[in-house]
Amino acid sequence: MTELPERRLMLVHAHPDDESINNGATMARHAAEGGHVTLVTCTLGERGEVIPPELRHLSGAALGGHRLGELREAMAALGVTDFRLLGGAGRYSDSGMMGLPDNDDPGCFWQADVDQAAGLLADVILEVRPQVLVTYDDNGGYGHPDHIQAHRVAMRAVELAAARGWDVPKVYWNRVPRSVAEDAFARLERDLPELPFDKSASVGDVPGVVDDERITTAVDGTAYAGAKAAAMRAHATQITVADQPYFVLSNELAQPLFTTEYYELVRGERPAGREDDLFAGVTTGEPS
C-alpha cells in the first residue's frame, strides 16, 4: 500500500460546488496541515442553472464538462489533489430538483441502485481508509434528490467498507447552528445596501440549519477564508461571490459565506463538549 498521511478525510458531495460552499475552509485547512483530503463527487451537475449570461448556452454534457473544469480550479484553490467522480465521469447524471421529470431519467443519480453505488464508494474508502467521512443528513440538507441519494450512498458505503475491512471511526453531517445563521443574516441585512446583490435569502434557505445543541464540532477556517472564497468563485456557473463574505446562487438571493464550518457527529463517540477538530479522539497513523 502507498504510504498515506496520518490524517485522512473523505467528503461525499452531490455536485461540483457543494464541497466549496459546505466544507471549503475545512478542506483547505486539512490539506495545508498535511492531511490527505479525498473528495468524491457523485454527479457533474449537468442540470444546474447557469448564472453568467455568456455561459447560459451550456447544458447537459457540455455543462457537466465545464463544471468539471470548475471543480479542478476549485480544488487547486483549496490545495486538494485527490478528487474523484463516483464511478467515473458520466456514471451518474444530475437528477434535477425534486419533483421534476428529470428525476425519472434512468441514468440519473436518484435512480441509482444504492448498494451498487455504495459499493463503488466503498472501494474508494478501502483504498484511502479515512478516519473521518463527511456528507449530508438524510434530507440532503435541503431536499435535493442528489443530496439525499449522496447521504444514502455514503452511509451505506461506510457499512459495506466495515464489512470488508475498514471501519470509518467518525462520520459527520454538514450543519449550521441556528443562532449562527440568524446572527449572520442580521449582519447581511445591515450590509445589503453596500452589496452588489438586491435581495437577501433567509435562514430557511440555508441547508442543514439545526438547533445549536445538535452541533458537535466547529472547525475554525478563518485563516483559509480566502481559499474558500477562491474555490467558490471557481464555480462561476453556479456562484457569485462578493468582496465581502456573502454570495448568491442562481436565485440571486444573498447568503452569508461561513468560514467556521459546523458538523454533527453521527458515527463515533459524541463528545461531552463541542469539538474543534474532526479528528478529535481518533488514533491517526498508517493503516495496517
Side-chain angles (χ1 to χ4, degrees):
M1 176 183 292
T2 302
E3 184 175 352
L4 295 166
E6 288 190 350
R7 289 186 165 201
R8 300 177 299 281
L9 168 65
M10 178 177 288
L11 305 99
V12 180
H13 277 288
H15 317 104
D17 82 343
D18 293 324
E19 80 297 323
S20 297
I21 296 170
N22 286 279
N23 314 112
T26 300
M27 295 171 72
R29 173 176 166 176
H30 283 288
E33 292 175 350
H36 187 91
V37 179
T38 301
L39 169 67
V40 180
T41 305
C42 298
T43 83
L44 284 171
E46 298 92 338
R47 291 188 167 101
E49 296 182 55
V50 177
I51 295 174
E54 66 273 17
L55 295 176
R56 287 178 187 164
H57 63 281
L58 294 171
S59 63
L63 177 57
H66 188 90
R67 293 188 70 177
L68 178 56
E70 292 181 337
L71 181 61
R72 291 191 183 103
E73 186 178 342
M75 292 304 95
L78 299 179
V80 173
T81 58
D82 185 8
F83 54 98
R84 310 164 186 225
L85 294 166
L86 183 63
R91 179 63 178 266
Y92 301 111
S93 65
D94 188 341
S95 307
M97 298 301 288
M98 186 67 83
L100 296 179
D102 298 332
N103 303 165
D104 299 324
D105 181 346
C108 78
F109 190 47
W110 184 239
Q111 293 295 329
D113 179 272
V114 170
D115 272 3
Q116 182 184 63
L120 296 171
L121 182 58
D123 290 342
V124 183
I125 292 173
L126 290 166
E127 175 191 342
V128 176
R129 302 198 174 192
Q131 297 108 336
V132 175
L133 185 144
V134 173
T135 191
Y136 315 104
D137 65 12
D138 56 0
N139 189 45
Y142 72 108
H144 191 293
D146 287 333
H147 288 241
I148 294 170
Q149 190 78 320
H151 159 86
R152 293 172 178 169
V153 168
M155 300 304 290
R156 180 61 175 146
V158 169
E159 295 175 349
L160 295 176
R164 293 168 58 188
W166 183 255
D167 194 2
V168 179
K170 301 181 85 174
V171 175
Y172 291 91
W173 293 344
N174 292 303
R175 293 298 193 194
V176 178
R178 193 171 305 280
S179 67
V180 169
E182 289 173 348
D183 289 347
F185 275 97
R187 289 193 299 274
L188 171 55
E189 286 295 333
R190 294 194 296 269
D191 294 344
L192 192 59
E194 300 177 5
L195 297 177
F197 312 130
D198 295 327
K199 296 180 181 180
S200 171
S202 66
V203 170
D205 294 314
V206 177
V209 174
V210 293
D211 293 339
D212 289 32
E213 57 265 26
R214 297 278 298 273
I215 306 299
T216 59
T217 313
V219 176
D220 183 357
T222 305
Y224 304 95
K228 175 169 181 169
M232 289 174 64
R233 285 192 179 96
H235 292 290
T237 59
Q238 307 299 304
I239 308 172
T240 302
V241 182
D243 292 336
Q244 302 93 327
Y246 302 108
F247 71 98
V248 296
L249 301 173
S250 60
N251 60 12
E252 299 184 348
L253 299 177
Q255 296 187 41
L257 191 160
F258 297 108
T259 54
T260 295
E261 295 168 343
Y262 299 89
Y263 303 90
E264 179 181 3
L265 180 67
V266 297
R267 181 183 175 93
E269 185 175 351
R270 290 179 73 93
R274 186 176 286 185
E275 305 170 319
D276 60 7
D277 180 4
L278 294 175
F279 289 84
V282 170
T283 300
T284 57
E286 174 68 14
S288 58

